[in-house]
Amino acid sequence: MAVPFIVQPRGNPRRAGEGDTRAERGEAMTARADLGPLAPYLSDDAVTDVFVNGTSGLFVDRGSGPEHDPTWRASEREVRDIATALIARGGRHIDDATPCVDVRLAGGVRIHAVLPPVATSGTSLSIRVPRLARANLDDLCRGGAFDEGVRAWLTRVVLARENVLVTGAAGTGKTTLLAAMLAHTPENERIVTIEDVAELRIAHPHHVSLEARQPNLEGAGAIGLARLVRESLRMRPDRIVVGECRGEEVRELLTALNTGHDGGAGTLHASGLDDVPARLEALGALAGMDDHAVARQVTSAIGFVLHLERDRTGRRRLARVGRFTDAGGRLGITEATPWE
């Protein structure tokens, strides 16, 4: 298979959340069309993820899990060339010295590439494709994520400026639900989001998106999430949102939410609602917090935990809602149905 792939500069990509305009949709479609031999897979609006596993094949997820495409053929050299070109489009460089790279392209497409020998079966590509249309709570309700009573309650949670933590495994729709909820934020409020790779697309007129920066080839210039949370406090935000808590930034977020910054949110990977306290204790330990400090900070800062699951058919749903408890200095959680 010949893989013609010309990398062309596109200027600065539009930041997520600047409004679902016709120009923005056109930019996203153009970005997808420029993905060379992968463009036919990404032009389908139903596609959420594309995976290339070296010479082992290509898999496409259209909402019901990855499915193998038997028509795809590519050598290791060709897959590596695709990965190199895609990473270059995102303004970064991948080679044997830097074999693992994550970038976001114009239009919000997210590319993660890993080269051999780190990827033992050949160059690995993982591509996440944002929906062109922003989902809202009505859409999620119609899609079976929750019923009408829960939809109305989620709207009240936003308007009441409750701090929430959205949890679930990868691909359960944490970012989608959070963006849909934040779209109900009053227009006179300023939302600042902080993410490793900017994915939150919020239908709101005053959304500022901050994205972490990886170190350069010399290992300098990195700007992590913890620093961005601190920087956001100087931007007079009405709501602070951390796209995914995975390290010491959890301390900065909890501190902010405990000092008058109501209406904030974060997402967290967890396999079940009952696993969330242990995950937060582990992240707190990375930030130098003991279990007692985590329990006091979390129970004071977070109003509700919204846990999402994805069933075998690919349907994503709000499975459980929890509230944190302080059980003798250790963080606990109880299930709640506050809309009843």
Side-chain angles (χ1 to χ4, degrees):
M1 165 186 170
V3 186
F5 202 106
I6 301 174
V7 179
Q8 299 175 347
R10 290 281 169 184
N12 293 326
R14 183 187 296 269
R15 304 296 292 182
E18 289 184 350
D20 194 13
T21 65
R22 182 175 300 177
E24 184 181 31
R25 289 176 62 84
E27 180 186 62
M29 293 297 292
T30 299
R32 292 186 186 185
D34 285 345
L35 294 179
L38 298 177
Y41 301 94
L42 302 175
S43 61
D44 183 351
D45 286 346
V47 171
T48 61
D49 297 88
V50 174
F51 309 100
V52 181
N53 302 335
T55 59
S56 300
L58 178 144
F59 295 77
V60 181
D61 190 341
R62 295 182 174 87
S64 57
E67 299 174 351
H68 181 249
D69 181 355
T71 66
W72 170 267
R73 296 287 188 277
S75 68
E76 169 58 24
R77 180 71 262 175
E78 290 166 338
V79 176
R80 184 176 178 126
D81 288 345
I82 294 172
T84 301
L86 289 176
I87 296 302
R89 284 189 60 80
R92 299 196 63 200
H93 178 72
I94 187 168
D95 58 17
D96 291 341
T98 311
C100 307
V101 181
D102 192 40
V103 298
R104 180 176 57 85
L105 307 185
V109 176
R110 180 173 176 175
I111 311 286
H112 184 265
V114 185
L115 300 181
V118 177
T120 59
S121 58
T123 299
S124 171
L125 273 170
S126 305
I127 304 173
R128 302 203 70 180
V129 187
R131 296 176 182 268
L132 290 180
R134 295 181 177 87
N136 56 49
L137 291 179
D138 290 334
D139 295 332
L140 297 180
C141 183
R142 285 190 292 268
F146 38 75
D147 61 29
E148 177 58 33
V150 177
R151 185 207 63 77
W153 174 74
L154 290 172
T155 303
R156 292 196 299 271
V157 165
V158 176
L159 297 179
R161 297 181 61 82
E162 292 276 5
N163 297 327
V164 299
L165 184 65
V166 183
T167 65
T172 53
K174 298 184 293 297
T175 299
T176 300
L177 175 60
L178 185 53
M181 291 179 64
L182 290 171
H184 290 272
T185 301
E187 292 190 357
N188 63 347
E189 294 185 10
R190 176 176 168 90
I191 304 171
V192 179
T193 60
I194 299 106
E195 300 174 87
D196 236 354
V197 176
E199 293 183 293
L200 276 165
R201 300 168 61 82
I202 305 171
H204 190 275
H206 202 167
H207 169 211
V208 179
S209 174
L210 303 181
E211 184 178 69
R213 188 172 72 184
Q214 303 297 318
N216 59 23
L217 292 177
E218 288 74 38
I223 300 178
L225 296 181
R227 177 179 170 184
L228 289 180
V229 174
R230 294 192 295 271
E231 295 294 333
S232 73
L233 298 175
R234 302 182 177 96
M235 300 171 68
R236 222 217 73 180
D238 292 295
R239 297 178 188 250
I240 297 175
V241 179
V242 176
E244 181 183 338
C245 296
R246 62 175 67 180
E248 63 175 323
E249 67 275 0
V250 70
R251 176 186 58 206
E252 313 299 334
L253 177 62
L254 291 173
T255 300
L257 298 184
N258 273 314
T259 53
H261 292 279
D262 297 328
T267 67
L268 178 76
H269 274 86
S271 56
L273 183 67
D274 297 329
D275 299 321
V276 174
R279 287 279 293 122
L280 285 171
E281 287 181 344
L283 295 182
L286 295 176
M289 302 170 67
D290 60 26
D291 293 344
H292 183 67
V294 170
R296 293 290 299 274
Q297 289 286 306
V298 171
T299 53
S300 175
I302 305 296
F304 294 99
V305 181
L306 311 177
H307 186 74
L308 299 172
E309 293 180 355
R310 180 177 180 178
D311 63 26
R312 292 183 178 179
T313 68
R315 184 172 69 96
R316 299 167 174 88
R317 65 187 183 91
L318 177 58
R320 301 174 70 188
V321 174
R323 301 207 70 161
F324 287 115
T325 62
D326 186 341
R330 292 295 301 273
L331 186 63
I333 196 165
T334 59
E335 190 163 7
T337 52
W339 53 86
E340 293 182 349

